[in-house]
Amino acid sequence: MPQNEHIELHRKRHGRQLDHETRKRKKEAREVHKRAEYAKKALGLKGKMFAKKRHAEKALMKKTIAMHEEKEQKHKADDGAPQNAVPAYLLERDQVDRAKVLSNTIKQKRKEKAGKWEVPLPKVRPVAEDEMFRVLKSGKRGKKSWKRMITKVTFVGPGFTRKPPKYERFIRPTGLRMTKAHVTHPELKATFCLDILGVKKNPNGAMYSSLGVITKGTIVEVNVSELGLVTPGGKVVWGKYAQVTNNPENDGCINAVLLV
């Protein structure tokens, strides 16, 4: 047994204290009060960091509760024959069954929040950092090497303004910026040239998603208002997600498949 596992070994041989479970339960109960006390006393940066952490925990808890929410749904009974005798004035009414089901919108939101969709390309080749970035030398004598030039296709919004060159760490070349994508609708079997609204998720990491880097397998949001898609409630769908299926830096265009 490794040298540092003496506690586990002692526990296996002799077990725990007789009141271990009680002490553990009481400690957990005290933890809430200790946290509240700390939240009252914490000031300045520590207080802000603690509040941010608690906010994230609460948001996650609310999300989990919403995930398990059930709502009552009515639907027609499978066979027209009623289970019990029905009065004459109810004979013309349809038989209705009530069922507890998870709301479809909650399911959809859960998938979107988790970043999980039924995608055409579930696995893609990871892109190395050396392949994604090229080191740019800067400074009077070219000694500094903290700048990086992105070698892949990127998307930046219409109101994008570059930082002053002196302070810009990640450089997105204008020649590799794209704003449109050729999106194929899997059910209509038709391809449309649509505007990109944003980069939702890059499979290589959150940093690339925030920089707007588009590689194979990236989930992008496209403007589908001109396709005339509507929700069950009758509202026009503005943006939908699509997955990039090609290597845009090689082909000079973005090809994607709409996620329906």
Side-chain angles (χ1 to χ4, degrees):
M1 180 172 277
Q3 189 181 357
N4 62 343
E5 290 188 2
H6 53 277
I7 295 175
E8 282 82 356
L9 181 62
H10 183 274
R11 200 171 284 158
K12 279 180 183 174
R13 285 177 181 167
H14 308 290
R16 297 178 184 271
Q17 285 183 333
L18 295 174
D19 62 344
H20 169 75
E21 296 301 329
T22 311
R23 286 163 70 106
K24 188 181 175 185
R25 180 175 52 78
K26 286 185 177 179
K27 189 178 180 182
E28 284 173 2
R30 280 197 301 271
E31 197 63 42
V32 183
H33 299 287
K34 279 187 179 179
R35 193 190 287 171
E37 198 66 34
Y38 179 78
K40 286 177 189 173
K41 289 181 180 177
L43 298 171
L45 187 62
K46 281 188 178 178
K48 283 182 182 177
M49 287 168 69
F50 184 76
K52 191 178 178 184
K53 183 185 165 192
R54 286 291 296 141
H55 180 266
E57 284 174 12
K58 285 179 181 176
L60 184 68
M61 188 169 64
K62 281 185 179 177
K63 219 176 283 182
T64 313
I65 290 166
M67 207 185 290
H68 296 292
E69 261 183 5
E70 288 183 335
K71 73 172 193 179
E72 205 171 63
Q73 190 190 44
K74 297 178 183 178
H75 60 90
K76 276 192 177 183
D78 296 332
D79 52 340
Q83 298 291 329
N84 303 314
V86 180
Y89 59 86
L90 291 179
L91 283 174
E92 289 181 4
R93 292 193 189 177
D94 291 329
Q95 297 300 316
V96 172
D97 276 354
R98 290 174 183 272
K100 292 271 186 184
V101 292
L102 268 173
S103 166
N104 281 339
T105 51
I106 291 172
K107 283 183 187 172
Q108 189 66 26
K109 279 179 185 173
R110 189 199 312 175
K111 280 183 183 176
E112 285 177 12
K113 290 283 190 294
K116 292 173 186 172
W117 298 271
E118 294 293 326
V119 290
L121 301 174
K123 287 185 180 179
V124 289
R125 181 183 69 86
V127 181
E129 198 170 310
D130 301 339
E131 189 184 338
M132 187 78 77
F133 299 121
R134 186 159 64 82
V135 178
L136 279 186
K137 299 285 185 184
S138 60
K140 191 175 180 180
R141 293 171 184 83
K143 294 277 186 183
K144 296 176 182 176
S145 55
W146 55 273
K147 291 191 175 195
R148 298 285 182 273
M149 181 180 279
I150 299 170
T151 59
K152 303 288 180 187
V153 168
T154 54
F155 167 78
V156 292
F160 173 72
T161 309
R162 280 181 63 182
K163 284 183 181 177
K166 188 177 178 182
Y167 306 110
E168 192 174 29
R169 176 159 162 69
F170 295 106
I171 297 163
R172 289 168 269 200
T174 49
L176 284 172
R177 292 184 198 169
M178 293 189 186
T179 56
K180 287 186 177 287
H182 303 295
V183 182
T184 304
H185 197 296
E187 290 170 4
L188 298 175
K189 306 292 183 194
T191 305
F192 307 93
C193 186
L194 304 175
D195 291 321
I196 299 171
L197 297 175
V199 176
K200 175 70 177 173
K201 188 172 184 182
N202 189 306
N204 295 297
M207 184 178 75
Y208 302 128
S209 303
S210 60
L211 285 170
V213 179
I214 300 174
T215 54
K216 191 173 184 177
T218 304
I219 305 288
V220 293
E221 192 174 8
V222 290
N223 184 356
V224 293
S225 56
E226 61 189 56
L227 300 189
L229 301 175
V230 290
T231 61
K235 291 180 180 176
V236 176
V237 178
W238 177 261
K240 250 182 138 32
Y241 296 126
Q243 188 184 33
V244 177
T245 54
N246 70 326
N247 293 310
E249 68 277 5
N250 296 343
D251 301 343
C253 66
I254 298 171
N255 297 336
V257 175
L258 203 65
L259 306 180
V260 290

